[in-house]
Amino acid sequence: MGRGYIVEESVEKYLTNLSAAAGSCETGLFIGQCSAQRDFVVLAVQTPHRETEGATEGKRTPSSLDSIDVEWVAEHARQVSRMLPGGVSILGLFLIAPPEVSKEAQNTLKKFVFAVDKSLSKNKLWDLSEDDVTERITLHICSKTRKAICRTFDVKDPKCSAKPADWRYQSGISSSWPLITCNVQLDLQIPVTSENVDGSIKDQLRTWAKQIEAALCLINGKAVTDDSELLSGPKKGTKASQQQSFKAQILVSAEDTDASQMSSAVVHECSGSVCVRGTVHCRAYIHTNKPKTRHAAQALKRDVMNTVFSRVEMLLEDLLMSEGDLACGQQDLPRRVFAPIFGSGLSVCDYIFPDESTADVAERFKEMLGFDVSEREMDIGVEAPTCCSVLGVEDGCDEATDNVPMQSSAETVPKKEAAIQYAAGVVVAAAVALLATVTSLLYLTD
Amino acid sequence: MVLTDNNFIFRLKGVLDFSCQFDSFNEAHTRSSISKAFQVLRSRISSESLVFIVCNSPILLWPNKSFHSTLDSLREDTPCRDVQQHIEVEDGARKSSKKRDKKDTGPVVVNLKLLMEVTEAGNSAALSLCRVMKKQRCVTVPLCMDCVIGAGGCDALGSVCAGLVAALHAQLSDMEETLLKYKKETTFPLPQPFHFQLPESDRLLTIIYPAGVSDDQLLSVREELHRKHCLLADRPYFRRSNAFHFPGEPYKDGYLRNPHTHLTAPSIDDAKLYVVRGVYSYHHYMQDRVDDNGWGCAYRSLQTICSWFLQQGYTERSVPTHKQIQQALVDVGDKEPSFVGSRQWIGSIEVQAVLNQLLGVNSKILFVSRGSELTSKGRELANHFQTEGTPIMVGGGVLAHTILGVAWSETSGQIRFLILDPHYTGGEDLQSITDKGWCGWKGPEFWDQNAYYNLCLPQTPKII
């Protein structure tokens, strides 16, 4: 008896529809939550088809296993992982393939699992702990017979073999998962000591992340301990379908281990400094199967680290693509916006650059996660924009309305476009006029 | 702090990272940058984010957030002694502290740790990144804050916390001064706080010393301190090793300190106690993985004496090993080079020579031709402990011992000797050491009545 997976019913429907439509190979990700006992699969998302020179829909789907682009699958996983709140992660992969190649399917899936894991672990400020589950689920579905084979691979062990798993559908599994939130302040002064600005920033973020990891966490005012349970008290009275929400506080202390060993601090030459400052909104969800407070705290802390790292990385990627260097002066990092996953209690997130609109975000949700979010459903108010970025958003809106037809047809790497938009946004000249528009819009919506 | 039961020491520790950027060759700018960076730290400890956690307890306190605490029962006006009942004591520690309750009448130390809350209720400015390009120099110094304040059990918790915040501010200013004074072109020393208990004083004085600068180099600082606190320049008070030892804080080297303080004094009519001043550690057979059973007793007694000089601040030299002691005797020409590494005994005269060679300490030798005569040396011994206060090594015809004090009646001449026996071969178990008399009060019959004895009485140098 292998690892147990509780899978949201809508995932079954999604896979059925997908395999019915697919004449050839399709891949995708499973998203959900790990726990010591079993994993919960909440969502399945198909790997978007990579754009090749203007070919029509459906024609470019890979016809053989070899033609599936592993790097593309891994890149999709990386993009998707940025959109997941704390406690929610990529649990595995599915592969829909014709019966001719079914013999090769397991090996291919194993290759994918490791490629995805490699891609994801590069983008983390934290390391897996002892209790982290390292088994990843794979589902191989025969496109003809619809027969599904469920196996797990242990990403800790490159020589691992496929193990059977217990895959069971259930409805509404995540509808009442408790939500833990907090707003975390950052004020990092980073001296740039090397040639490489990115390196200096990332090093400092790693130091900061260690502090967060080691921090004391309070949930609803109570310190998290090793074995306290998150859900206690009059549990029987409350309806199971109600989502509870918790406020968390994070208390850090600087490391003194280094300090006790050194007698002096060395003065370094630096070419300048980078200051990362502001507040980020963080969220984590946790399953309802007797969750411990320490697991909730861990999920939230990882979200704190991920959301900061993702944003900085997005900015740096943007610059890389536009072949620009990190400019002097202040620039806003993208703000976090949330959107609910239909039929679940969970939200996913995305990041909106000052010059982007909610339409851009909706587009990315569609592209990356394959679902439609109306702008009305989006929660864009969790992080207050600065005055400057209000202008940026509005500016992006205007551009977006112009760009909508083009984007829907040809946007696969949204970041590239975002970079250009961003560059445009920086040189906004009609600030005063736009401010007027914003005010009037705000007035109207009120 | 008066050392009585109902008194408390609140000790707050934590690290604040001082980080500063400044122009390369502009001293004025450097100083103002340093002072600005300290201003940032000051505003941090004045902010609502400042949190104190009481170690081994569920208590968290927000001293600047209109006194917020995680326990409803603890409010601003709660007597600070109430904190104690929430502190979890490890089982083992509790047991032994119960046993020593009679003796340990020192203050209760409540340890706190400094934390910073990084979460906030409000929703302030979004994340932004700001880059400045300017060739500069930068430095990050971890400041290990260590503040103590004394309090009576009835003092309000709110005022204790306010006192600690004020102490943090004061300590930052002291550290700033130290940084400015001792910083070098390429390195900044770590400012380190030390707490000192002055004689006849009921409070602790905290002094910041720059790490990496030796006590010898800080002589002028100590001279100033002696003047300021009207202390005679006859003995060290402000060397690092004079720092106050907090009750309950373990000694890292594993040696027992002052086991004699756990003994009951002998009852002799009219007798007064004259015992060793300050702190020594108990050195005896088989320690440090050296099997010196049968030959090393005088070496161990000498080590105990050296540990006294070290812990009283007279020297920074660590306690010498058997080999180092032997080498010192070769160096002064007392022994042949083949002596090093041997298992030969040494006596009081050798102890005197080594103390002089290694520590620059002179010693008087007191000779008695028979053990029975020691009984009549009450006045000399009492006088020694009053003026010098050092442990005495006693050797001669037979075994070597350490005399830590005497109980002596001037009127009747009755005397008891406080003996520390280096022949103990067991572990550092205070209970069996005191129960079985390895450290204990001995009568005149302790001495071999017919053997001769040499006593080495180390004299304290007049240094600070």
Side-chain angles (χ1 to χ4, degrees):
Chain A
M1 169 84 192
R3 209 173 154 69
Y5 288 82
I6 307 285
V7 188
E8 180 61 46
E9 262 175 5
S10 60
V11 170
E12 183 175 27
K13 218 167 291 161
Y14 182 84
L15 292 175
T16 310
N17 290 342
L18 207 57
S19 50
S24 48
C25 296
E26 288 285 355
T27 55
L29 306 168
F30 289 123
I31 292 165
Q33 184 163 84
C34 292
S35 82
Q37 289 79 29
R38 58 183 75 83
D39 289 2
F40 303 92
V41 180
V42 175
L43 197 66
V45 294
Q46 180 192 1
T47 313
H49 298 149
R50 190 164 207 169
E51 293 294 327
T52 46
E53 67 289 337
T56 46
E57 190 69 27
K59 283 282 158 68
R60 293 152 294 94
T61 47
S63 52
S64 72
L65 293 179
D66 291 338
S67 61
I68 304 173
D69 187 345
V70 190
E71 277 172 39
W72 181 246
V73 173
E75 173 61 19
H76 176 236
R78 196 176 74 97
Q79 298 280 346
V80 166
S81 71
R82 283 178 175 171
M83 305 174 98
L84 305 178
V88 181
S89 61
I90 293 168
L91 302 180
L93 290 152
F94 65 82
L95 170 68
I96 301 169
E100 305 91 75
V101 296
S102 59
K103 269 196 181 138
E104 286 306 303
Q106 287 304 330
N107 277 338
T108 308
L109 276 166
K110 181 176 173 182
K111 188 170 74 180
F112 287 180
V113 162
F114 279 89
V116 165
D117 184 67
K118 195 176 159 201
S119 162
L120 294 182
S121 53
K122 265 192 299 194
N123 292 285
K124 281 187 317 218
L125 287 175
W126 43 275
D127 298 320
L128 289 178
S129 75
E130 282 283 296
D131 346 324
D132 275 306
V133 175
T134 52
E135 278 155 315
R136 300 286 175 264
I137 187 73
T138 62
L139 198 67
H140 164 222
I141 302 165
C142 174
S143 58
K144 199 166 236 158
T145 61
R146 304 245 184 107
K147 197 179 153 232
I149 301 163
C150 183
R151 293 284 183 271
T152 61
F153 291 97
D154 188 347
V155 288
K156 235 182 5 211
D157 173 19
K159 292 197 187 83
C160 68
S161 52
K163 288 207 184 93
D166 183 30
W167 183 267
R168 227 176 270 168
Y169 289 107
Q170 199 177 310
S171 74
I173 55 169
S174 62
S175 59
S176 61
W177 282 7
L179 167 67
I180 304 106
T181 63
C182 67
N183 293 318
V184 174
Q185 277 177 305
L186 268 94
D187 187 359
L188 298 177
Q189 186 74 31
I190 305 163
V192 180
T193 47
S194 63
E195 288 288 297
N196 173 1
V197 190
D198 301 18
S200 291
I201 296 176
K202 284 179 185 172
D203 281 352
Q204 194 76 24
L205 284 178
R206 268 183 202 102
T207 311
W208 166 81
K210 285 215 175 69
Q211 257 187 26
I212 297 289
E213 259 189 299
L216 180 66
C217 185
L218 309 186
I219 292 178
N220 278 0
K222 282 219 174 67
V224 167
T225 57
D226 269 356
D227 44 28
S228 60
E229 301 220 351
L230 183 69
L231 305 172
S232 55
K235 203 173 132 197
K236 288 189 183 101
T238 52
K239 266 182 96 182
S241 60
Q242 265 169 2
Q243 184 176 44
Q244 271 180 277
S245 99
F246 296 86
K247 268 272 170 215
Q249 287 162 283
I250 294 175
L251 279 52
V252 301
S253 60
E255 270 306 316
D256 56 353
T257 44
D258 297 344
S260 56
Q261 275 149 29
M262 59 198 275
S263 66
S264 64
V266 178
V267 176
H268 296 282
E269 300 283 343
C270 62
S271 59
S273 65
V274 172
C275 172
V276 179
R277 187 174 289 162
T279 306
V280 291
H281 176 77
C282 306
R283 281 186 188 183
Y285 295 91
I286 193 121
H287 61 83
T288 42
N289 183 29
K290 292 190 180 162
K292 299 250 189 266
T293 52
R294 71 185 159 98
H295 292 129
Q298 186 188 52
L300 184 68
K301 283 178 183 178
R302 286 178 175 180
D303 189 57
V304 174
M305 296 182 267
N306 288 346
T307 186
V308 170
F309 192 66
S310 294
R311 293 183 221 216
V312 170
E313 226 186 15
M314 285 164 83
L315 180 69
L316 297 175
E317 278 169 14
D318 251 19
L319 294 169
L320 196 68
M321 282 203 237
S322 57
E323 286 173 18
D325 194 10
L326 193 54
C328 280
Q330 184 177 331
Q331 38 205 312
D332 291 323
L333 287 162
R335 281 190 301 130
R336 199 174 197 186
V337 294
F338 286 88
I341 304 178
F342 180 72
S344 112
L346 310 186
S347 289
V348 284
C349 71
D350 192 24
Y351 296 95
I352 180 165
F353 271 95
D355 60 335
E356 284 185 305
S357 71
T358 45
D360 295 321
V361 176
E363 179 64 28
R364 268 197 301 271
F365 278 127
K366 176 82 184 148
E367 185 76 41
M368 290 294 144
L369 301 174
F371 58 74
D372 295 303
V373 181
S374 73
E375 294 179 31
R376 200 164 37 78
E377 283 174 304
M378 270 185 232
D379 191 354
I380 57 166
V382 288
E383 287 182 10
T386 57
C387 174
C388 162
S389 55
V390 170
L391 289 176
V393 169
E394 213 36 47
D395 177 56
C397 267
D398 288 352
E399 266 177 42
T401 29
D402 295 342
N403 289 346
V404 163
M406 190 189 82
Q407 275 189 344
S408 57
S409 65
E411 180 78 347
T412 48
V413 188
K415 289 290 157 289
K416 203 174 271 177
E417 179 98 4
I420 299 157
Q421 285 183 9
Y422 185 68
V426 172
V427 289
V428 174
V432 179
L434 281 167
L435 184 60
T437 330
V438 175
T439 354
S440 61
L441 276 173
L442 286 175
Y443 189 75
L444 283 173
T445 46
D446 267 351
Chain B
M1 276 145 284
V2 188
L3 303 181
T4 52
D5 267 334
N6 57 356
N7 267 273
F8 288 80
I9 297 177
F10 284 83
R11 184 182 195 188
L12 173 70
K13 289 172 93 169
V15 179
L16 291 173
D17 275 328
F18 164 86
S19 107
C20 176
Q21 274 163 302
F22 51 91
D23 279 354
S24 298
F25 301 107
N26 184 340
E27 180 61 19
H29 180 262
T30 304
R31 296 182 85 87
S32 89
S33 300
I34 290 174
S35 126
K36 248 182 239 158
F38 270 99
Q39 204 48 51
V40 170
L41 294 181
R42 274 188 208 104
S43 67
R44 220 173 271 174
I45 57 173
S46 302
S47 76
E48 292 193 342
S49 314
L50 182 74
V51 183
F52 297 158
I53 178 166
V54 179
C55 298
N56 303 316
S57 87
I59 305 170
L60 289 160
L61 304 162
W62 280 255
N64 300 329
K65 210 169 177 178
S66 59
F67 198 83
H68 175 68
S69 116
T70 43
L71 289 183
D72 293 336
S73 60
L74 294 177
R75 286 183 303 269
E76 196 169 5
D77 54 356
T78 308
C80 67
R81 63 164 172 260
D82 287 9
V83 166
Q84 213 187 348
Q85 72 203 47
H86 299 286
I87 300 175
E88 230 175 86
V89 188
E90 285 161 48
D91 276 340
R94 182 180 275 161
K95 229 185 258 168
S96 69
S97 75
K98 235 178 209 169
K99 259 177 202 161
R100 283 183 290 149
D101 261 354
K102 279 188 297 193
K103 304 279 174 196
D104 279 353
T105 51
V108 176
V109 181
V110 178
N111 287 302
L112 298 100
K113 208 179 149 201
L114 185 153
L115 299 175
M116 284 288 171
E117 181 172 352
V118 293
T119 40
E120 55 164 38
N123 197 352
S124 61
L127 201 62
S128 69
L129 185 147
C130 184
R131 181 172 190 192
V132 177
M133 285 216 260
K134 191 177 180 193
K135 250 195 143 30
Q136 278 186 320
R137 318 187 83 193
C138 63
V139 67
T140 301
V141 187
L143 304 178
C144 300
M145 310 303 290
D146 185 352
C147 297
V148 288
I149 59 165
C154 302
D155 292 358
L157 191 54
S159 73
V160 167
C161 285
L164 285 170
V165 174
L168 274 175
H169 276 284
Q171 191 156 86
L172 274 181
S173 298
D174 289 348
M175 286 188 171
E176 179 175 356
E177 207 175 290
T178 307
L179 259 195
L180 286 172
K181 190 167 166 189
Y182 294 97
K183 75 178 167 61
K184 296 206 193 85
E185 183 81 8
T186 52
T187 55
F188 279 34
L190 258 63
Q192 291 176 326
F194 293 85
H195 310 293
F196 298 98
Q197 187 170 29
L198 301 186
E200 324 293 326
S201 168
D202 59 352
R203 63 185 200 99
L204 291 176
L205 185 71
T206 306
I207 312 278
I208 309 294
Y209 286 133
V213 179
S214 73
D215 278 347
D216 286 341
Q217 291 167 277
L218 294 166
L219 178 64
S220 60
V221 178
R222 286 197 302 279
E223 283 170 343
E224 180 59 38
L225 285 167
H226 275 251
R227 263 197 299 278
K228 192 173 160 194
H229 298 282
C230 306
L231 294 166
L232 288 176
D234 65 339
R235 61 174 76 156
Y237 287 111
F238 294 111
R239 285 180 176 246
R240 290 180 173 94
S241 46
N242 295 120
F244 182 72
H245 181 79
F246 287 87
E249 203 176 38
Y251 286 98
K252 286 189 189 108
D253 57 19
Y255 301 108
L256 284 179
R257 260 57 174 193
N258 292 19
H260 74 273
T261 52
H262 303 274
L263 297 169
T264 321
S267 54
I268 305 173
D269 287 342
D270 278 345
K272 272 194 192 157
L273 287 182
Y274 305 90
V275 293
V276 69
R277 166 169 73 84
V279 181
Y280 63 90
S281 33
Y282 180 21
H283 293 261
H284 57 76
Y285 276 169
M286 308 303 284
Q287 281 177 333
D288 326 306
R289 297 194 190 149
V290 175
D291 180 0
D292 56 348
N293 197 348
W295 60 277
C297 52
Y299 292 86
R300 297 299 184 180
S301 182
L302 172 58
Q303 286 181 334
T304 296
I305 293 171
C306 290
S307 83
W308 185 94
F309 279 97
L310 175 67
Q311 288 170 89
Q312 264 45 248
Y314 287 97
T315 180
E316 288 178 74
R317 198 193 192 293
S318 56
V319 172
T321 61
H322 292 57
K323 243 191 186 145
Q324 287 167 339
I325 291 168
Q326 290 169 333
Q327 185 62 51
L329 286 167
V330 172
D331 292 346
V332 296
D334 191 80
K335 301 281 186 221
E336 294 299 315
S338 62
F339 182 64
V340 178
S342 72
R343 299 181 145 216
Q344 291 185 49
W345 293 36
I346 56 170
S348 310
I349 310 300
E350 283 88 353
V351 168
Q352 178 189 34
V354 173
L355 284 174
N356 188 268
Q357 169 73 6
L358 295 181
L359 307 182
V361 166
N362 294 320
S363 309
K364 281 186 190 159
I365 297 291
L366 184 67
F367 173 75
V368 291
S369 52
R370 356 172 100 246
S372 53
E373 283 175 41
L374 274 170
T375 317
S376 62
K377 297 294 177 195
R379 189 174 304 277
E380 282 92 333
L381 293 174
N383 193 36
H384 169 81
F385 287 113
Q386 265 187 319
T387 57
E388 305 298 328
T390 59
I392 297 170
M393 183 266 176
V394 51
V398 282
L399 307 166
H401 287 97
T402 313
I403 306 178
L404 297 170
V406 289
W408 176 62
S409 161
E410 201 171 356
T411 46
S412 68
Q414 280 220 64
I415 189 164
R416 296 287 182 275
F417 301 90
L418 178 55
I419 301 296
L420 186 67
D421 194 338
H423 303 92
Y424 174 62
T425 52
E428 311 308 306
D429 176 16
L430 181 67
Q431 196 71 31
S432 76
I433 287 164
T434 51
D435 283 358
K436 294 184 180 156
W438 294 106
C439 175
W441 288 95
K442 313 286 181 186
E445 72 289 349
F446 178 75
W447 311 108
D448 186 333
Q449 302 297 305
N450 296 311
Y452 76 93
Y453 284 96
N454 274 323
L455 280 67
C456 175
L457 286 62
Q459 309 292 299
T460 52
K462 303 291 171 261
I463 57 164
I464 65 165

